[in-house]
Amino acid sequence: MADTCDMNDAGETNTTPSPVKTLQLPPVALYIHIPWCVQKCPYCDFNSHGQKQDTLPETEYVSHLLDDLAQDAKLIGSRLIHSIFIGGGTPSLFSPGAIGRLLAGVRERVNLAVNAEITLEANPGTVESERFNGFAKAGINRISIGVQSFQQEKLERLGRIHNDQQALNAAGYARDAGLNSFNLDLMHGLPEQSIDDALFDLRQGIAQQPPHLSWYQLTIEPNTQFHSKPPTLPEDDILWDIQEQGHDILTAAGYEQYEISGYSLAGQQCQHNLNYWRFGDYLGIGCGAHGKITLKNSGQILRTVKVKHPKGYMDLTRSYMHQQHEVQDDELPFEFFMNRLRLLEPCPKQDFTEFTGLVMAEQPQLLKNLNSAISKGLLAETETHWQVTPLGRRYLNTLLEMLV
């Protein structure tokens, strides 16, 4: 197997030859990172940088994104891009015109499916009706709105720049913009949040009739303000009650849970996220963006990471690529299951071999670990599939640790 690839001074990679593996080429998606936001939230560990909207280098950054894509496109050749996700930061800070130029440039450089899902993340404090309509005309067909809470006190505690009314307004703009779908991001387990508070937010979210709801628990991540000054979060028993009661409310409203934090109406699952969790491929362009590509000629899986800081990323004297490496065989089982077990759908056993190139019968330790997870009730097995159990969903981290 190849050693980790190292970048030299010219921004090129030094690699050693790897044996050719026979793999099924999975679907390909495209992630585009726009790193700026109005201000950094105290819980956020994403690559984002506070900057005023009227000083954003829209034109320059879009040009760099397209140059970055032109270089990465060589990794996939004529393979079809099935979805695009523009994340951040706060991509809705960019004008509809800039997003339109970006998407036009993407179509010139890669083979984009006619019915591709194209999602843009938006902050309720940075949009109005005309802006959403402009994004739709630019080619966006799905908006993901970072609401987090509909309660003013909680929004202030989370450092959000929008208020409760703006959150409601944004959902209305999305409904009226003629999009294929839209998502609301909601958080629970907020500082000093009661069960009633959490369920109020959830009911408010459902009342906005989003085809998709991302409902996830706040966690304290390193290198965040909340990590240096931890807030008081609900105890574990309260968190579990919130999840159980919230799940029942969502189910009664017609939403189906299809992954750990994702609920949708029938046929409205996020196709971009499904591709991630099914161990699909994706190009990642923009500041700090990650990518995963199965190389057609060698069958190796390549992980890429772009330069993180905007100043460095837009430096014409250096490469956009910060690092890249071929995933080693002993890493592949954990990488595969770490993604695949987020989904509630059964996992076809054949996918493991087709997308990793490994033969399960030649992985005695992995088989032992899988059997142990099955015996503990964390994983279920049939002749053709594995599926995470309700107990496994509750203790997903424990399940994944067992498969290392």
PDB file of all heavy atoms in Angstrom, residues 22 43 93 100 163 175 240 278 281 323 337:
ATOM      1  N   THR A  22      -9.776  -3.877  -7.409  1.00  0.00           N
ATOM      2  CA  THR A  22     -11.018  -3.854  -8.187  1.00  0.00           C
ATOM      3  C   THR A  22     -12.149  -3.386  -7.286  1.00  0.00           C
ATOM      4  O   THR A  22     -12.511  -4.054  -6.326  1.00  0.00           O
ATOM      5  CB  THR A  22     -11.347  -5.247  -8.740  1.00  0.00           C
ATOM      6  OG1 THR A  22     -10.257  -5.684  -9.557  1.00  0.00           O
ATOM      7  CG2 THR A  22     -12.619  -5.195  -9.575  1.00  0.00           C
ATOM      8  N   TYR A  43     -20.569  27.592  19.775  1.00  0.00           N
ATOM      9  CA  TYR A  43     -20.549  26.125  19.719  1.00  0.00           C
ATOM     10  C   TYR A  43     -19.916  25.610  18.434  1.00  0.00           C
ATOM     11  O   TYR A  43     -19.716  24.402  18.264  1.00  0.00           O
ATOM     12  CB  TYR A  43     -21.977  25.559  19.808  1.00  0.00           C
ATOM     13  CG  TYR A  43     -22.882  26.034  18.701  1.00  0.00           C
ATOM     14  CD1 TYR A  43     -22.931  25.382  17.477  1.00  0.00           C
ATOM     15  CD2 TYR A  43     -23.679  27.160  18.869  1.00  0.00           C
ATOM     16  CE1 TYR A  43     -23.735  25.834  16.452  1.00  0.00           C
ATOM     17  CE2 TYR A  43     -24.498  27.613  17.847  1.00  0.00           C
ATOM     18  CZ  TYR A  43     -24.519  26.949  16.637  1.00  0.00           C
ATOM     19  OH  TYR A  43     -25.319  27.405  15.627  1.00  0.00           O
ATOM     20  N   LEU A  93     -24.546  34.558   2.572  1.00  0.00           N
ATOM     21  CA  LEU A  93     -23.967  35.897   2.531  1.00  0.00           C
ATOM     22  C   LEU A  93     -23.591  36.287   1.103  1.00  0.00           C
ATOM     23  O   LEU A  93     -23.570  37.472   0.764  1.00  0.00           O
ATOM     24  CB  LEU A  93     -22.719  35.970   3.420  1.00  0.00           C
ATOM     25  CG  LEU A  93     -22.934  35.933   4.932  1.00  0.00           C
ATOM     26  CD1 LEU A  93     -21.597  35.865   5.654  1.00  0.00           C
ATOM     27  CD2 LEU A  93     -23.726  37.145   5.409  1.00  0.00           C
ATOM     28  N   GLY A 100     -24.930  32.146  -8.884  1.00  0.00           N
ATOM     29  CA  GLY A 100     -25.234  31.806 -10.266  1.00  0.00           C
ATOM     30  C   GLY A 100     -23.970  31.628 -11.096  1.00  0.00           C
ATOM     31  O   GLY A 100     -23.862  30.683 -11.898  1.00  0.00           O
ATOM     32  N   ASN A 163     -33.291  36.499  14.970  1.00  0.00           N
ATOM     33  CA  ASN A 163     -34.246  36.392  16.071  1.00  0.00           C
ATOM     34  C   ASN A 163     -35.326  35.368  15.714  1.00  0.00           C
ATOM     35  O   ASN A 163     -35.337  34.808  14.615  1.00  0.00           O
ATOM     36  CB  ASN A 163     -34.845  37.760  16.423  1.00  0.00           C
ATOM     37  CG  ASN A 163     -35.557  38.411  15.247  1.00  0.00           C
ATOM     38  OD1 ASN A 163     -36.267  37.757  14.483  1.00  0.00           O
ATOM     39  ND2 ASN A 163     -35.387  39.731  15.101  1.00  0.00           N
ATOM     40  N   ARG A 175     -40.580  28.168   1.559  1.00  0.00           N
ATOM     41  CA  ARG A 175     -41.801  27.526   1.044  1.00  0.00           C
ATOM     42  C   ARG A 175     -42.281  28.199  -0.237  1.00  0.00           C
ATOM     43  O   ARG A 175     -42.814  27.553  -1.137  1.00  0.00           O
ATOM     44  CB  ARG A 175     -42.927  27.592   2.086  1.00  0.00           C
ATOM     45  CG  ARG A 175     -42.817  26.608   3.220  1.00  0.00           C
ATOM     46  CD  ARG A 175     -44.152  26.475   3.946  1.00  0.00           C
ATOM     47  NE  ARG A 175     -44.692  27.755   4.363  1.00  0.00           N
ATOM     48  CZ  ARG A 175     -44.425  28.363   5.511  1.00  0.00           C
ATOM     49  NH1 ARG A 175     -43.614  27.775   6.383  1.00  0.00           N
ATOM     50  NH2 ARG A 175     -44.972  29.520   5.824  1.00  0.00           N
ATOM     51  N   TRP A 240     -32.251  12.079  26.928  1.00  0.00           N
ATOM     52  CA  TRP A 240     -32.868  10.894  26.357  1.00  0.00           C
ATOM     53  C   TRP A 240     -34.383  11.050  26.256  1.00  0.00           C
ATOM     54  O   TRP A 240     -34.999  10.635  25.273  1.00  0.00           O
ATOM     55  CB  TRP A 240     -32.505   9.660  27.173  1.00  0.00           C
ATOM     56  CG  TRP A 240     -33.020   8.400  26.552  1.00  0.00           C
ATOM     57  CD1 TRP A 240     -33.920   7.533  27.067  1.00  0.00           C
ATOM     58  CD2 TRP A 240     -32.669   7.875  25.265  1.00  0.00           C
ATOM     59  NE1 TRP A 240     -34.164   6.504  26.199  1.00  0.00           N
ATOM     60  CE2 TRP A 240     -33.410   6.690  25.080  1.00  0.00           C
ATOM     61  CE3 TRP A 240     -31.817   8.306  24.248  1.00  0.00           C
ATOM     62  CZ2 TRP A 240     -33.320   5.917  23.923  1.00  0.00           C
ATOM     63  CZ3 TRP A 240     -31.731   7.538  23.086  1.00  0.00           C
ATOM     64  CH2 TRP A 240     -32.466   6.364  22.941  1.00  0.00           C
ATOM     65  N   ARG A 278     -23.478   6.417   2.543  1.00  0.00           N
ATOM     66  CA  ARG A 278     -23.359   5.161   1.796  1.00  0.00           C
ATOM     67  C   ARG A 278     -21.946   4.942   1.267  1.00  0.00           C
ATOM     68  O   ARG A 278     -21.707   4.071   0.442  1.00  0.00           O
ATOM     69  CB  ARG A 278     -24.368   5.149   0.644  1.00  0.00           C
ATOM     70  CG  ARG A 278     -25.813   4.987   1.118  1.00  0.00           C
ATOM     71  CD  ARG A 278     -26.800   5.169  -0.017  1.00  0.00           C
ATOM     72  NE  ARG A 278     -28.184   4.927   0.426  1.00  0.00           N
ATOM     73  CZ  ARG A 278     -29.259   5.303  -0.250  1.00  0.00           C
ATOM     74  NH1 ARG A 278     -29.126   5.957  -1.413  1.00  0.00           N
ATOM     75  NH2 ARG A 278     -30.462   5.048   0.226  1.00  0.00           N
ATOM     76  N   ASP A 281     -18.456   8.798  -3.193  1.00  0.00           N
ATOM     77  CA  ASP A 281     -17.333   9.703  -3.436  1.00  0.00           C
ATOM     78  C   ASP A 281     -17.809  11.151  -3.442  1.00  0.00           C
ATOM     79  O   ASP A 281     -18.986  11.429  -3.705  1.00  0.00           O
ATOM     80  CB  ASP A 281     -16.688   9.396  -4.788  1.00  0.00           C
ATOM     81  CG  ASP A 281     -15.783   8.174  -4.745  1.00  0.00           C
ATOM     82  OD1 ASP A 281     -15.509   7.667  -3.640  1.00  0.00           O
ATOM     83  OD2 ASP A 281     -15.355   7.723  -5.821  1.00  0.00           O
ATOM     84  N   GLN A 323      -3.292  18.677   1.797  1.00  0.00           N
ATOM     85  CA  GLN A 323      -2.737  17.332   1.910  1.00  0.00           C
ATOM     86  C   GLN A 323      -3.666  16.333   1.233  1.00  0.00           C
ATOM     87  O   GLN A 323      -4.852  16.587   1.046  1.00  0.00           O
ATOM     88  CB  GLN A 323      -2.529  16.936   3.374  1.00  0.00           C
ATOM     89  CG  GLN A 323      -3.811  16.889   4.195  1.00  0.00           C
ATOM     90  CD  GLN A 323      -3.548  16.580   5.660  1.00  0.00           C
ATOM     91  OE1 GLN A 323      -2.488  16.890   6.196  1.00  0.00           O
ATOM     92  NE2 GLN A 323      -4.520  15.980   6.318  1.00  0.00           N
ATOM     93  N   PHE A 337     -17.824   1.584   7.950  1.00  0.00           N
ATOM     94  CA  PHE A 337     -18.907   1.425   8.923  1.00  0.00           C
ATOM     95  C   PHE A 337     -19.200   2.727   9.669  1.00  0.00           C
ATOM     96  O   PHE A 337     -20.342   2.964  10.066  1.00  0.00           O
ATOM     97  CB  PHE A 337     -18.580   0.305   9.901  1.00  0.00           C
ATOM     98  CG  PHE A 337     -18.756  -1.067   9.315  1.00  0.00           C
ATOM     99  CD1 PHE A 337     -17.662  -1.863   9.013  1.00  0.00           C
ATOM    100  CD2 PHE A 337     -20.023  -1.557   9.028  1.00  0.00           C
ATOM    101  CE1 PHE A 337     -17.825  -3.122   8.454  1.00  0.00           C
ATOM    102  CE2 PHE A 337     -20.205  -2.815   8.468  1.00  0.00           C
ATOM    103  CZ  PHE A 337     -19.095  -3.604   8.177  1.00  0.00           C
TER     104      PHE A 337
END
